[in-house]
């Protein structure tokens, strides 16, 4: 796989092409065809070629993973980046890994998803009132994007937020990385200066500022948190119940 005739190959391309995306469907296509971060392009393609033994028979997506969910969402869920053998394999955010199992089960309990499982891009999953996207759209080594990669990818996030802005009421930040990514996104899209000092991330932390969606913090749904009991199903249920209330859905 390599860059097509017309796709983002540099950080400047990302800025230009994100700004020109007139709809979510166009934006999704542009994101999926982005080659602007050499380290992440190499990593996503290596993972897709080598594969995990249990997925050996499958063809990996091996590309950036666009957002997923309702175009007129009141609730946005902001994650870190796709998982190497999850979104990078299936092509849909949080789909096909343990983090997604936990997240979509919670969304289903909250009435925000039509089914509790998310195993493949064609499994019939649909979200209600909700859109999910990540601060960085390519799977990074060790789940740790470099600052330059975060910044290069930011225009895709900012454009996606701009396109869902008319309906968006609350952003659930999964983890400290997503929480930190919200502030420049908010400044870029809503033209509102982030508070100084920035509000601290925490599970259940809520920031309400005039003219922007509410920001609600949640521990990330990673196995590191869910297997250790740091994040329980009840805690996630509380987060989405609050998100629904903040969004005027409950
Ligand atoms: S991380 Fe974002 S900007 Fe970098 S290659 Fe992937 S989609 Fe493009």
């Amino acid at each position: 796989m390599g860059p097509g005739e017309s796709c983002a190959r540099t950080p400047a391309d990302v800025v230009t092409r994100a700004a020109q995306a007139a709809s979510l469907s166009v934006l999704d296509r542009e994101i999926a065809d982005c080659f602007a971060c050499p380290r992440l392009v190499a990593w996503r393609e290596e993972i897709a070629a080598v594969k995990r033994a249990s997925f050996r028979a499958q063809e990996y997506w091996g590309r950036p993973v666009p957002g997923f969910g309702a175009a007129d969402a009141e609730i946005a869920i902001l994650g870190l980046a796709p998982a190497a053998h999850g979104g990078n394999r299936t092509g849909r955010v949080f789909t096909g890994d343990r983090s997604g199992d936990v997240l979509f089960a919670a969304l289903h309990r909250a009435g925000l998803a039509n089914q509790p499982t998310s195993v493949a891009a064609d499994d019939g999953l649909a979200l209600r009132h909700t859109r999910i996207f990540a601060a960085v759209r390519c799977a990074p080594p060790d789940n740790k994007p470099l600052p330059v990669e975060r910044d290069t990818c930011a225009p895709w996030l900012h454009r996606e937020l701009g396109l869902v802005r008319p309906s968006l009421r609350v952003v659930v930040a999964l983890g400290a990385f997503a929480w930190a990514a919200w502030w420049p996104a908010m400044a870029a899209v809503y033209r509102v200066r982030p508070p100084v000092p920035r509000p601290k991330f925490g599970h259940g932390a809520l920031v309400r500022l005039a003219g922007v969606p509410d920001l609600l913090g949640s521990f990330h749904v990673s196995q590191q948190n869910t297997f250790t009991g740091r994040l329980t199903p009840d805690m996630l249920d509380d987060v989405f119940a609050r998100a629904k209330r903040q969004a005027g859905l409950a």
Side-chain angles (χ1 to χ4, degrees):
M1 189 181 299
E5 280 296 305
S6 179
C7 63
R9 286 177 245 199
T10 67
D13 288 347
V14 175
V15 171
T16 304
R17 299 184 81 95
Q20 290 173 347
S23 68
L24 282 173
S25 57
V26 171
L27 183 73
D28 290 349
R29 282 201 301 276
E30 289 281 358
I31 290 171
D33 213 14
C34 179
F35 290 79
C37 303
R39 186 183 80 119
L40 297 187
V41 171
W43 180 251
R44 76 194 192 199
E45 293 183 356
E46 183 187 333
I47 294 290
V50 175
K51 305 182 183 181
R52 179 179 283 169
S54 51
F55 303 127
R56 187 82 66 209
Q58 297 183 19
E59 180 153 357
Y60 273 51
W61 173 251
R63 296 166 64 184
V65 180
F68 170 65
D72 55 353
E74 291 92 343
I75 299 171
I77 299 173
L78 178 57
L80 194 170
H85 301 280
N88 189 57
R89 174 173 60 89
T90 63
R92 196 173 66 193
V93 66
F94 280 110
T95 295
D97 61 29
R98 295 293 177 90
S99 299
D101 291 346
V102 172
L103 177 62
F104 289 110
L107 290 175
H108 183 251
R109 290 194 299 274
L112 298 173
N114 69 333
Q115 61 187 45
T117 56
S118 175
V119 295
D122 60 355
D123 62 7
L125 176 68
L127 302 183
R128 304 185 187 103
H129 306 292
T130 304
R131 190 164 175 91
I132 305 176
F133 38 68
V136 172
R137 307 305 174 108
C138 290
D142 299 323
N143 289 322
K144 286 185 184 143
L146 300 174
V148 67
E149 293 161 347
R150 174 201 62 202
D151 294 346
T152 299
C153 206
W156 296 133
L157 170 65
H158 299 178
R159 185 62 186 140
E160 190 154 5
L161 281 167
L163 289 167
V164 296
R165 177 178 176 170
S167 56
L168 191 60
R169 299 292 174 265
V170 58
V171 175
V172 177
L174 294 179
F177 189 96
W179 181 269
W182 167 249
W183 306 113
M186 183 189 83
V189 176
Y190 292 87
R191 305 287 172 196
V192 171
R193 281 192 189 175
V196 179
R198 304 265 170 95
K200 281 191 179 160
F201 169 74
H203 185 84
L206 176 67
V207 180
R208 306 194 73 182
L209 299 172
V212 299
D214 295 340
L215 177 66
L216 182 55
S218 170
F219 290 147
H220 195 277
V221 288
S222 65
Q223 289 185 67
Q224 203 178 354
N225 288 332
T226 57
F227 277 24
T228 58
R230 185 169 188 243
L231 178 64
T232 66
D234 283 351
M235 290 165 71
L236 262 184
D237 288 350
D238 286 345
V239 164
F240 290 123
R242 278 181 85 189
K244 286 174 68 177
R245 282 198 300 277
Q246 300 300 130
L249 297 171

